[in-house]
Amino acid sequence: MIPARYAASRFPAKLMQDLNGKPVILRTYEAALKTGLFHEVYVVTDSPLIFETIETAGGKAIMSAKEHDCGSDRIAEAVTDMEVDIIVNVQGDEPFTDRESLRRVLGVFENDTEEEIDLASLMVKITEWEEINNPNTVKVIVDNRNFALYFSRSPIPFPRDTNVSVDYFKHKGIYAFRKRALMDFQRLPMLPLEATEKIEAIRYLEYGKKIKMVETDVTGIEIDTPEDLKKAKQAWK
């Protein structure tokens, strides 16, 4: 499922911007389809324009019946009546989505016989302090089994002792959910930590859900700003 909201505060209509001949959202849809990992791939949107773009290109799209504040809510509405076990959320602004990273995320469920894992997601190591301190970069810290402890826009952990060697990880917004976890998310109200950070993954943690993080070295390019789009166009060549 690829949630695709037309409005965007930092870069309005970014999903419909041209990326070397096709809109960003269509590039993302084609990248997800090309992995060959899914029985079905859908774009879930509030925009008739995005819906028509995907359908015209021969893809599958679903129009949201309600307004939604986040991608998880939008996807939960779309899959309510579907008989599915695992749902993957691929962000609409990630046209460089790669097969290996998605395969790793799905792989955590294969040996989870006790169904301990509610959802899985990706993280990538970051080393530049500009990015570590950037509030647009969501950071994640994990326990010794790579279960998420917390997500933040602030640098975590805070480097009070600079003599201690520690890795910093950026959270990449790709999730694989068990359906029940996604449906629980939809009915549970937002709590203060999620509200202040504006990071939907925190809601799962606040309600005791277990998020397995998978490290990847594929950074890709998330198109959040016009500058990102310029980088994406150059990389696409």
Side-chain angles (χ1 to χ4, degrees):
M1 292 289 178
I2 306 171
R5 183 169 174 263
Y6 185 79
S9 56
R10 281 176 290 170
F11 190 4
K14 65 179 182 179
L15 298 184
M16 287 303 298
Q17 298 297 315
D18 178 76
L19 177 53
N20 292 26
K22 294 182 181 180
V24 169
I25 186 60
L26 182 55
R27 291 290 192 193
T28 303
Y29 176 84
E30 290 176 344
L33 202 63
K34 188 178 178 180
T35 66
L37 293 171
F38 309 111
H39 292 101
E40 298 286 354
V41 178
Y42 294 92
V43 170
V44 189
T45 184
D46 62 352
S47 165
L49 179 58
I50 291 176
F51 180 91
E52 183 179 351
T53 296
I54 299 300
E55 291 270 308
T56 300
K60 296 182 179 181
I62 298 172
M63 277 293 294
S64 298
K66 305 175 184 176
E67 290 293 325
H68 297 289
D69 294 327
C70 67
S72 290
D73 282 334
R74 189 176 301 282
I75 293 172
E77 178 201 297
V79 303
T80 297
D81 297 322
M82 292 185 183
E83 293 186 13
V84 292
D85 296 317
I86 304 295
I87 301 116
V88 176
N89 174 350
V90 174
Q91 300 298 317
D93 59 3
E94 295 222 21
F96 295 91
T97 295
D98 69 292
R99 185 182 194 280
E100 180 58 23
S101 295
L102 289 173
R103 189 194 64 76
R104 289 186 193 179
V105 170
L106 288 169
V108 304
F109 296 99
E110 292 175 3
N111 299 315
D112 185 33
T113 55
E114 301 298 320
E115 297 194 2
E116 177 186 19
I117 300 168
D118 295 296
L119 58 153
S121 193
L122 287 173
M123 61 182 184
V124 61
K125 191 179 295 184
I126 51 177
T127 57
E128 299 294 331
W129 274 105
E130 182 178 355
E131 185 168 22
I132 292 169
N133 284 293
N134 187 342
N136 293 324
T137 298
V138 175
K139 277 70 68 174
V140 58
I141 50 174
V142 297
D143 66 14
N144 61 0
R145 297 175 60 206
N146 277 355
F147 281 100
L149 295 172
Y150 192 61
F151 300 85
S152 182
R153 297 184 182 279
S154 298
I156 50 173
F158 182 80
R160 182 170 182 175
D161 187 341
T162 56
N163 293 317
V164 177
S165 177
V166 66
D167 292 327
Y168 287 84
F169 289 97
K170 172 183 178 179
H171 178 219
K172 287 180 64 66
I174 291 175
Y175 301 91
F177 314 90
R178 293 195 188 279
K179 184 179 178 181
R180 65 170 182 269
L182 186 60
M183 302 316 293
D184 285 346
F185 179 96
Q186 184 185 40
R187 65 178 179 78
L188 294 169
M190 184 185 299
L191 295 176
L193 289 177
E194 179 192 1
T196 190
E197 291 263 23
K198 294 295 185 287
I199 301 171
E200 65 186 78
I202 293 175
R203 189 184 311 182
Y204 292 100
L205 296 181
E206 288 190 272
Y207 284 103
K209 302 295 185 185
K210 303 197 75 172
I211 306 176
K212 185 77 167 183
M213 300 302 299
V214 179
E215 185 176 353
T216 178
D217 57 3
V218 179
T219 56
I221 299 174
E222 300 168 17
I223 300 176
D224 287 324
T225 65
E227 291 72 26
D228 292 335
L229 182 61
K230 290 178 183 177
K231 292 178 184 177
K233 287 181 176 181
Q234 188 62 37
W236 202 269
K237 295 178 182 178

